[in-house]
Amino acid sequence: LLLNRLMDYARPCKRLGSVLKHGLGRFVPQLQRITFQLSQTDGAQTGIRDYIESDVVELARRNPSVVVYVMPTRTKCSRIIAEYLNQQNLSIDTNRMEAHQVKYWVDLLLSKSGQRDYRLLNMHHTDTPSIQGQWTPYTNKDISLSGQRFQKTVDDAGRVTITSNGEGSEARSVRRVPIANGVFERVGPF
């Protein structure tokens, strides 16, 4: 447990941000090239071969901005290499994976930005913070009602009247409207 905490503090950290300001007008996919390296005869690489036979054409059709390479090699290690616009490369070893696991990793590589995984300092960030403060439900309310006490009275007909400081001039009527899971009170003119 202590080692995990020390490793967590050793990871680099930064504030949440976006790549290229989200394209500044249009979406720019960050994955530039994806390469599948595999052996055609190794028995541990049947999952990546099944994925290439069934899904790689659909992958290229859905993502026309990504160049897809399939490189048969004589090595015993199959892998997926993703190259991003920021010159970062990510490599995933796919030995002994099934086709649905390879599909999961390809989808993950498609959605990543190519940046390293950082420990976040804050869960939210803005480039232009507000100088007005945060919004609350009381931001635009009338402050003259803040120190007043309200009194509720019910007449013989079942109508409820709410008055502030006992004055009838500011009286507002309330009607109870039944709903499915309780009673909803509606305040205002009817």
Side-chain angles (χ1 to χ4, degrees), residues 3-59:
L3 183 61
N4 287 341
R5 283 191 179 171
L6 291 175
M7 293 301 290
D8 194 37
Y9 287 116
R11 280 191 355 209
C13 56
K14 69 176 194 174
R15 293 194 175 2
L16 186 65
S18 63
V19 178
L20 297 175
K21 304 287 185 200
H22 297 298
L24 207 63
R26 69 182 184 101
F27 175 69
V28 179
Q30 297 299 303
L31 184 63
Q32 182 178 11
R33 183 179 304 125
I34 189 164
T35 306
F36 297 95
Q37 290 183 348
L38 69 145
S39 171
Q40 294 179 343
T41 58
D42 191 16
Q45 300 176 16
T46 57
I48 192 167
R49 283 198 301 265
D50 292 343
Y51 177 78
I52 288 173
E53 289 174 4
S54 61
D55 293 335
V56 80
V57 175
E58 183 63 29
L59 170 72

Side-chain angles (χ1 to χ4, degrees), residues 47-149:
I48 192 167
R49 283 198 301 265
D50 292 343
Y51 177 78
I52 288 173
E53 289 174 4
S54 61
D55 293 335
V56 80
V57 175
E58 183 63 29
L59 170 72
R61 186 176 298 130
R62 278 185 303 156
N63 303 293
S65 63
V66 178
V67 180
V68 179
Y69 292 114
V70 177
M71 294 179 54
T73 60
R74 292 179 185 239
T75 63
K76 293 204 177 261
C77 179
S78 65
R79 60 186 175 163
I80 302 171
I81 302 169
E83 300 175 29
Y84 292 93
L85 290 176
N86 62 356
Q87 306 303 319
Q88 292 290 330
N89 293 344
L90 293 175
S91 177
I92 295 177
D93 183 21
T94 59
N95 277 344
R96 293 179 175 76
M97 280 191 190
E98 296 179 13
H100 66 89
Q101 294 170 322
V102 174
K103 180 174 175 38
Y104 167 79
W105 284 106
V106 168
D107 289 341
L108 184 75
L109 292 172
L110 282 168
S111 64
K112 283 184 70 73
S113 65
Q115 294 181 348
R116 290 183 57 189
D117 293 330
Y118 290 97
R119 183 171 54 96
L120 294 177
L121 293 174
N122 294 348
M123 296 308 284
H124 56 85
H125 173 72
T126 179
D127 292 333
T128 55
S130 173
I131 59 171
Q132 299 171 350
Q134 288 186 333
W135 180 87
T136 66
Y138 305 105
T139 301
N140 298 319
K141 297 294 181 187
D142 184 18
I143 60 170
S144 65
L145 298 177
S146 62
Q148 296 182 3
R149 293 186 170 264

